[in-house]
Amino acid sequence: MLSFKELTKQYGDFYALDHFQSELGSGIYALLGPNGAGKSTLMNILVGLTAPTSGEIRFHGQNTEKLGEEFRARIGYMPQYPGFYPDFTAMELMRYMADMKCIPRKTRDQRCRELLDAVNLTEQRDRKIRTFSGGMRQRLGLAQALLNDPEILVLDEPTAGLDPKERVRFRNMVRRLSEQMTVIFCTHIVSDIETIAKEVILIHHGKLIQQGTIPELVAGMQGKVWEVEPEPNELEALLDQYSRSSLVSRNMQTAIRIVHDTQPHPKAHLCEPVLEDVYLYRFGDDTV
Ligand code: ADP
Ligand code: MG
């Protein structure tokens, strides 16, 4: 339905996107990569805020730049840094965004109220945004993105600033929405998308690294994920030697989980990989 073809964005000599290629259908697609990978650049091009240097995006086979407003009307966008007006109330912001999206006046207020209700902001409807918590702002960001009943919902790092309970709640909301629309969920946090993504698209240095279902990605890590309970004097050396490693707790003991192609220590044993290991394997050098 949506295809990114050789999409490139240069800032001078720097490639924020480098011949990025991908195909998306329906359901939740996670765009997963570390900070600076090119996720927001890709989404900004998709929603029409930035023009690519070369390449194109096609929607049902048609160039999205040529489709123009016809395509943009089908997208809901929750930006990474929403610039809400702090002196607006939630309802005022919704009305303002509805006008920008040309929602008919007759149905406007009802639609705004319905969406605020759907994200549990009915009680805060007439409160100024400056008094909102991070979680309330994110939910408002989601509500405004849904105003035009989009076919494609773009969420750029939507869980930043949320506490663990709010993250779970947000995730469940997204899962429900994905029954009606394609969702592109940009994040560098594996746990945000681990239980909901139909496919994961790994992006790094502006390039597509790998795309697949979570079982497919995880299967590729078989034989590469190790755990070892080191002697106390070995611990620091192992952590230093293997950049793709993390401390874990096993039977009240400290163990080191190491993602590596070959056995890193004589006592290391193989274990079942998870998506976090894929992330560490692909991006480990950048995350330490
Ligand atoms: P992500 O959203 O994955 O964190 P971004 O798409 O925001 O990554 O950025 C990708 C890279 O492009 C980063 O290295 C960033 O510094 C660079 N970049 C983004 N916007 C600009 C710009 N307007 N000018 C120069 N470099 C930019
Ligand atoms: Mg970003």
Side-chain angles (χ1 to χ4, degrees):
M1 178 184 82
L2 199 59
S3 39
F4 298 95
K5 295 199 177 288
E6 300 278 335
L7 209 63
T8 296
K9 178 70 184 180
Q10 277 179 261
Y11 293 107
D13 291 341
F14 178 79
Y15 284 80
L17 281 178
D18 191 354
H19 300 86
F20 183 91
Q21 293 258 52
S22 178
E23 302 266 336
L24 279 64
S26 60
I28 302 179
Y29 284 78
L31 189 62
L32 183 65
N35 285 328
K39 303 181 294 296
S40 294
T41 304
L42 186 64
M43 292 305 109
N44 288 343
I45 295 173
L46 177 65
V47 304
L49 287 173
T50 311
T53 308
S54 62
E56 61 169 354
I57 304 175
R58 288 178 167 263
F59 179 62
H60 293 299
Q62 288 184 284
N63 180 298
T64 55
E65 271 182 283
K66 290 205 186 99
L67 286 171
E69 191 47 44
E70 195 188 326
F71 175 65
R72 280 194 291 277
R74 292 163 153 184
I75 294 198
Y77 174 46
M78 183 172 162
Q80 180 165 11
Y81 305 108
F84 293 152
Y85 301 101
D87 282 321
F88 275 22
T89 66
M91 190 64 188
E92 283 164 352
L93 181 94
M94 289 295 283
R95 282 199 193 104
Y96 175 73
M97 295 306 289
D99 289 347
M100 304 257 281
K101 293 185 182 192
C102 303
I103 309 285
R105 278 285 167 117
K106 238 169 74 185
T107 51
R108 184 188 70 175
D109 281 20
Q110 194 197 337
R111 178 94 185 122
C112 293
R113 278 195 292 267
E114 270 170 18
L115 284 169
L116 287 175
D117 196 44
V119 299
N120 279 312
L121 283 176
T122 295
E123 278 175 35
Q124 291 82 16
R125 207 160 64 191
D126 298 315
R127 252 173 69 179
K128 285 202 198 291
I129 296 170
R130 69 162 74 252
T131 70
F132 277 22
S133 69
M136 284 153 64
R137 277 170 209 248
Q138 296 305 84
R139 278 183 275 141
L140 179 59
L142 181 62
Q144 63 78 29
L146 295 171
L147 272 164
N148 54 334
D149 208 359
E151 279 172 59
I152 301 169
L153 177 64
V154 174
L155 307 172
D156 196 352
E157 307 266 1
T159 62
L162 300 192
D163 67 31
K165 200 172 131 200
E166 290 172 326
R167 273 168 199 262
V168 173
R169 190 167 166 187
F170 191 86
R171 218 176 288 153
N172 288 335
M173 237 182 293
V174 171
R175 193 204 313 263
R176 257 178 275 127
L177 286 168
S178 70
E179 287 163 18
Q180 300 142 49
M181 58 192 82
T182 294
V183 178
I184 307 178
F185 193 130
C186 303
T187 187
H188 63 275
I189 301 162
V190 171
S191 59
D192 273 353
I193 47 92
E194 197 163 32
T195 54
I196 55 172
K198 181 174 102 173
E199 283 190 29
V200 177
I201 298 167
L202 299 175
I203 180 173
H204 198 20
H205 299 312
K207 292 194 186 82
L208 176 97
I209 301 296
Q210 202 180 3
Q211 175 171 351
T213 64
I214 293 174
E216 280 165 4
L217 297 189
V218 166
M221 296 302 296
Q222 288 291 351
K224 291 183 171 51
V225 183
W226 309 82
E227 274 184 25
V228 59
E229 281 114 56
E231 302 298 326
N233 61 351
E234 294 176 317
L235 195 125
E236 287 301 326
L238 274 170
L239 286 172
D240 280 350
Q241 190 182 350
Y242 296 99
S243 59
R244 295 168 168 84
S245 61
S246 54
L247 285 177
V248 289
S249 171
R250 294 286 175 261
N251 313 320
M252 313 282 283
Q253 284 254 0
T254 300
I256 304 183
R257 191 174 177 97
I258 299 172
V259 181
H260 197 67
D261 287 316
T262 54
Q263 191 184 31
H265 184 280
K267 284 196 204 145
H269 54 89
L270 280 171
C271 42
E272 268 312 299
V274 295
L275 190 59
E276 189 78 47
D277 298 314
V278 178
Y279 189 95
L280 212 59
Y281 187 68
R282 295 294 187 174
F283 311 132
D285 281 345
D286 281 14
T287 51
V288 291

